[in-house]
Amino acid sequence: MEQQPQTFIAPQPVQPLQPQATDQPSPTPGAQKPVRIAAVGDIHVRETDKGKWVDFFKAASEQAEILLLCGDLTDHGYAKEAEVLAEEMRACTIPVVCVLGNHDHDKDEHDAIRNCLVRDNVHFLDGDAVVVKNVGFAGVKGFGGGFDKYMLSMFGELSNKAFVQEAVDEALKLEAGLSRLDTEYPGVKKIAVLHYAPIKATVEGEPEAIHPFLGCSRLAEPLDRQNVLACFHGHAHVGTLEGETPKGVKVYNVAKPILQKAGFAMPFFLFDV
């Protein structure tokens, strides 16, 4: 269940979850308690950000058990920015699951960015999957292409076909990661991590002319086919916080500017699995 925005000055301890209805059965001694996820995208770390993110990572570690970073970890795609982020992330004491964003690819240093950040508790996803605390995560960067009946088709010039093919490839990678979870961990609850949006609803608020560059409906198809519990993405800074796929999978745009606008004192969204 998703957590509603709360206004607070300092991070507060997480309170025990209360039952939502009095007629629910009491948990059995071996019942599994929910795992709390914190999610944010588009943190855009710069070389001048030394010391800026320590409190953020400490707060996320206090209030959640897993942190999702949904792309655009760096501002200009430089490995030096990732080095700053890696130092800031030393304050993070919980597992981190990441995907890269378009900014992280801008200077063609995305491999170096990944290498700067990878360590034992940091998991980068690009068509693969990982299980953390009995929750399965599959992720890709994603790509553009538009939504619903306005989605670009594989037609015309080779350059246009290449643009469409990139979105198709990303959707296939996402499907492969989700399928791997089903094969290796049957019954595991599945969360998808993206940078680009899989649905139009969470980019609403952005100029309509740029919607084709903010995401693609092809990314929503694996979510519906694979019975995903929820999907988190970023990229659309002035989009909408929440939407859902045609089959009802919850999708959250957790771009940092969206969360700040929604009133989150610490820019991460909390979700219980």
Side-chain angles (χ1 to χ4, degrees):
M1 64 182 172
E2 64 268 24
Q3 306 295 309
Q4 298 300 318
Q6 299 180 13
T7 301
F8 54 87
I9 296 175
Q12 300 297 317
V14 174
Q15 298 300 316
L17 298 175
Q18 299 299 320
Q20 298 301 306
T22 56
D23 60 350
Q24 294 296 314
S26 299
T28 60
Q32 192 174 19
K33 71 174 185 177
V35 175
R36 180 157 288 181
I37 294 170
V40 64
D42 304 84
I43 58 177
H44 291 276
V45 171
R46 300 179 178 182
E47 289 183 60
T48 56
D49 279 357
K50 294 179 181 179
K52 177 179 176 180
W53 292 95
V54 170
D55 288 345
F56 167 85
F57 286 115
K58 286 182 177 179
S61 300
E62 291 171 2
Q63 297 187 49
E65 297 167 79
I66 304 170
L67 175 63
L68 307 184
L69 296 178
C70 300
D72 282 3
L73 311 182
T74 62
D75 197 35
H76 296 99
Y78 289 117
K80 288 184 177 180
E81 295 172 323
E83 291 171 3
V84 173
L85 176 56
E87 188 64 31
E88 300 293 289
M89 287 176 67
R90 292 182 183 276
C92 188
T93 59
I94 58 175
V96 182
V97 178
C98 311
V99 296
L100 294 178
N102 57 309
H103 278 242
D104 303 314
H105 282 257
D106 186 53
K107 298 301 186 295
D108 201 27
E109 296 185 12
H110 47 280
D111 288 337
I113 289 171
R114 178 194 291 257
N115 292 338
C116 282
L117 298 174
V118 165
R119 58 178 191 263
D120 287 344
N121 71 328
V122 179
H123 309 276
F124 271 93
L125 300 179
D126 184 21
D128 38 9
V130 65
V131 173
V132 182
K133 297 185 181 292
N134 296 316
V135 180
F137 299 90
V140 293
K141 172 177 62 65
F143 200 62
F147 302 98
D148 307 325
K149 65 180 181 180
Y150 298 110
M151 187 170 61
L152 292 176
S153 62
M154 193 76 72
F155 177 80
E157 299 90 339
L158 288 176
S159 54
N160 188 71
K161 291 178 180 178
F163 186 91
V164 174
Q165 188 64 53
E166 184 72 14
V168 171
D169 291 344
E170 290 292 289
L172 290 173
K173 288 196 299 183
L174 179 59
E175 182 105 46
L178 292 168
S179 296
R180 178 183 170 190
L181 289 173
D182 276 339
T183 300
E184 298 183 8
Y185 303 91
V188 72
K189 294 179 179 178
K190 291 175 286 190
I191 299 293
V193 187
L194 308 173
H195 181 60
Y196 284 79
I199 60 172
K200 182 180 178 181
T202 51
V203 306
E204 293 286 1
E206 296 275 6
E208 191 168 351
I210 68 170
H211 283 189
F213 306 101
L214 298 176
C216 184
S217 292
R218 287 185 171 87
L219 296 167
E221 295 167 8
L223 307 181
D224 282 336
R225 281 194 294 266
Q226 297 288 337
N227 195 30
V228 170
L229 179 63
C231 173
F232 298 88
H233 74 87
H235 193 42
H237 289 199
V238 292
T240 300
L241 177 61
E242 183 177 345
E244 60 182 40
T245 67
K247 292 190 176 179
V249 176
K250 290 289 188 180
V251 178
Y252 300 96
N253 177 357
V254 292
K256 178 172 169 275
I258 296 287
L259 300 180
Q260 290 175 319
K261 183 179 178 180
F264 289 81
M266 274 291 176
F268 49 75
F269 183 83
L270 296 175
F271 184 87
D272 289 341
V273 178

